[in-house]
Amino acid sequence: MDLLAPILQAIGLFLVTNIDDIIVLSLFFARGAGMRGTTGKIIAGQYLGFGAILVASVLVALGAATFLPQEAIAYFGLIPLALGLLAAWNAWRGVDDDDDEKVAGKAISVWTVAGVTFANGGDNIGVYVPVFVTVGTGAIVAYSIVFLALVAVLVLLAKFVATRRPIAEILERWEHVLFPLVLIGLGVVILVEGGAFGL
C-alpha cells in the first residue's frame, strides 16, 4: 500500500488549515515570555485541542462512511467548497478574525490553549471530514500520524514566530488568500472524483 501520497497530502492539508494557529500560538508565547513552563503548557494544550479536533473528524467520517450510501459521499465536497467560498467572501469584504481577541485576557494554561485550539478548529473539522470519508482506513491512520507529528512542529514554529513579528504579519496576510483557494480546490476535487452532480 502506497502511503507516500496520503502523507504528502496530509502535510499540505495540515499546513493550510493551521496557519492561523501559528499566529494564535505565537501570541500565547508572547504573553508567556519569561514565565516558567510556557512551552510545555502550550505543547500539551495544543495536543489536547488538536487531538479533540482529530477524534471528532475521524468519528464523524467513519459514521458517515458507515451509514451513508457510497454515492452520497462525493457530496461532502460541498463542505470545504462552501467554507472556501465563505472565507474568500470574508477576505474580500475585509472581515478579519482577530487573533488577538482569542488570546486577550487569557492566562497561559494547558486547558486555555486546548480550548482556544479546539474553538479555532471548526474549519479543520469541516475540511478533514470530507477527506477522511473519501479515503481508506490506512490513509486516515497515515493522516492522523502526520497531523500529530506536525503539531510539535507547529508549536516550535509559533515559538520562533513569536520573536519575529514581520514573519507573523506575512503569514497572516497570505492566509486569507491561500486558505480559501485550497478549500475551494479541495471541494471541487472531491466532487469531481466522486462523480457528484454527474461530473
Side-chain angles (χ1 to χ4, degrees):
M1 180 171 159
D2 183 21
L3 291 179
L4 181 61
I7 288 170
L8 293 175
Q9 290 165 357
I11 292 170
L13 193 59
F14 183 88
L15 292 176
V16 171
T17 54
N18 289 284
I19 289 175
D20 57 337
D21 275 358
I22 294 174
I23 307 303
V24 172
L25 292 174
S26 69
L27 292 170
F28 273 123
F29 274 112
R31 285 182 59 86
M35 293 181 197
R36 200 170 160 179
T38 295
T39 302
K41 290 175 185 175
I42 291 174
I43 288 173
Q46 181 68 13
Y47 266 104
L48 277 174
F50 188 81
I53 289 168
L54 191 55
V55 167
S57 301
V58 170
L59 290 177
V60 171
L62 292 177
T66 302
F67 296 110
L68 289 176
Q70 186 62 37
E71 47 285 354
I73 300 299
Y75 294 95
F76 273 83
L78 292 172
I79 298 171
L81 180 62
L83 289 171
L85 291 171
L86 179 63
W89 173 254
N90 286 337
W92 182 72
R93 286 181 45 225
V95 175
D96 192 17
D97 195 10
D98 192 359
D99 293 318
D100 291 297
E101 287 180 11
K102 296 173 185 172
V103 177
K106 292 184 169 71
I108 308 292
S109 76
V110 171
W111 296 110
T112 301
V113 175
V116 170
T117 299
F118 187 77
N120 203 29
D123 287 349
N124 296 45
I125 295 171
V127 174
Y128 299 160
V129 168
V131 173
F132 290 170
V133 165
T134 57
V135 298
T137 306
I140 292 175
V141 171
Y143 271 82
S144 299
I145 291 169
V146 171
F147 285 175
L148 292 172
L150 289 176
V151 167
V153 175
L154 181 75
V155 173
L156 295 176
L157 185 57
K159 188 173 184 178
F160 175 80
V161 167
T163 58
R164 289 153 185 87
R165 188 64 196 164
I167 297 173
E169 288 170 359
I170 290 168
L171 286 173
E172 208 162 4
R173 182 170 57 237
W174 286 105
E175 172 204 359
H176 303 303
V177 175
L178 187 61
F179 189 62
L181 287 177
V182 171
L183 290 191
I184 291 168
L186 178 65
V188 169
V189 166
I190 291 171
L191 289 167
V192 171
E193 285 185 353
F197 304 111
L199 298 172

